[in-house]
Amino acid sequence: MDGTVDGFRYGAVTPVAAYLMACLGGALGLRCIVRSLLDTRSRSAGWLALGAASIGCGIWTMHFIAMIGFHVEETRVRYDAATTVLSLVVAVAVVGVGVFLVGHRGTSGTTLAIAGTVTGLGVAGMHYLGMAALRLDGDVRYDPVGVALSVLIAIGAATAALWSAVTIRGFLTSLGASLVMGVAVSGMHYTGMAAVSVHVHDTTGGTWAGDSPLSLLLPMLAGPVVFLLLAGVVVMFDPLLVLGERSSAARPGRGADSVASYRPSGREPVAPTRER
């Protein structure tokens, strides 16, 4: 029999909380990537890694907060812990590939297309790997059109995020970009969920392997959420990271000319020309 699927068991609480976490991860990640472009090459890798981890944790946290609201009326929903953790690793790793590509090679058409496609496919892979962690007394089925659309949204969202990461420097514009990114990531998730149907085997209420959403997801979400909060502390206590080019003008040897001379395309910086 077909199960009654409900993705909003707790009303607007889970989608709103999920959206906010996606925005937080995106905002921190974008600011960390900007910071890497304003720093020396010897330290830029650390900022890029922090940015990738922030975006990856934000996307993964968004997914599983939203999944707390996923409910099938005829059967209990549980999760496999190992697969759930693996989906977090995939999220951070694939975002890292895209971030390092554009961080070191810039936003040329080819680089951006490759980085956006790889990252988008990875984000979609994280989503469906997280769905593979579902354990219920039935079969989960997908509408191919909905799946394809969710993958295209993921690729578009990833490409836009990577482009904005190395081209948008202002704090407010980055904040706006993170809000748009949150909409895109949430849209990808709920588009994929709209493609889900469940064929229930029976309604006897038998037990099966896996942990319940509240007993597994809430403790696991604590780690990425704490990480994002700590990354937020780093942002707040680093004026250059928060303000970007503006504050760099006040730093000795890191003036606005040095930032303006940066070319995010892998070429060497152009020496600034000063008037006599």
Side-chain angles (χ1 to χ4, degrees):
M1 62 176 292
D2 290 333
T4 305
V5 177
D6 181 10
F8 305 94
R9 185 178 186 182
Y10 302 103
V13 174
T14 49
V16 170
Y19 170 72
L20 292 177
M21 293 309 301
C23 291
L24 175 61
L28 294 176
L30 293 180
R31 296 318 297 164
C32 288
I33 296 170
V34 168
R35 184 62 165 85
S36 75
L37 301 180
L38 299 174
D39 211 331
T40 59
R41 286 293 183 180
S42 61
R43 297 173 57 185
S44 65
W47 289 112
L48 290 174
L50 181 59
S54 297
I55 295 174
C57 284
I59 294 172
W60 185 87
T61 304
M62 176 271 150
H63 172 84
F64 281 101
I65 287 179
M67 289 305 295
I68 290 176
F70 179 76
H71 174 67
V72 181
E73 184 175 336
E74 293 80 7
T75 180
R76 289 179 294 172
V77 175
R78 296 174 181 267
Y79 290 85
D80 176 67
T83 309
T84 302
V85 173
L86 180 60
S87 66
L88 172 60
V89 175
V90 169
V92 174
V94 296
V95 171
V97 172
V99 164
F100 274 85
L101 276 175
V102 298
H104 288 290
R105 295 182 176 274
T107 55
S108 66
T110 302
T111 300
L112 189 60
I114 295 174
T117 301
V118 170
T119 304
L121 290 175
V123 170
M126 178 279 300
H127 172 85
Y128 289 105
L129 185 59
M131 293 297 294
L134 280 173
R135 297 293 182 267
L136 46 78
D137 195 14
D139 298 321
V140 178
R141 299 172 179 175
Y142 297 94
D143 173 37
V145 175
V147 172
L149 183 58
S150 69
V151 172
L152 291 176
I153 293 175
I155 293 175
T159 303
L162 293 173
W163 173 84
S164 63
V166 295
T167 57
I168 297 177
R169 299 295 181 86
F171 178 72
L172 292 179
T173 50
S174 287
L175 180 61
S178 68
L179 296 177
V180 175
M181 180 180 172
V183 171
V185 172
S186 298
M188 179 275 296
H189 173 85
Y190 286 107
T191 299
M193 294 307 297
V196 171
S197 62
V198 176
H199 179 76
V200 180
H201 293 161
D202 58 53
T203 57
T204 59
T207 60
W208 52 92
D211 296 312
S212 65
L214 294 180
S215 65
L216 174 68
L217 296 184
L218 287 181
M220 291 187 69
L221 286 169
V225 169
V226 170
F227 171 82
L228 290 174
L229 293 177
L230 292 176
V233 171
V234 173
V235 170
M236 289 188 297
F237 283 92
D238 191 327
L240 180 59
L241 195 151
V242 174
L243 299 177
E245 335 184 88
R246 294 181 184 177
S247 67
S248 68
R251 298 282 183 98
R254 303 291 299 173
D257 286 341
S258 64
V259 176
S261 64
Y262 176 80
R263 297 292 186 272
S265 60
R267 300 194 297 269
E268 292 298 323
V270 179
T273 303
R274 300 184 182 277
E275 296 180 1
R276 295 185 180 275

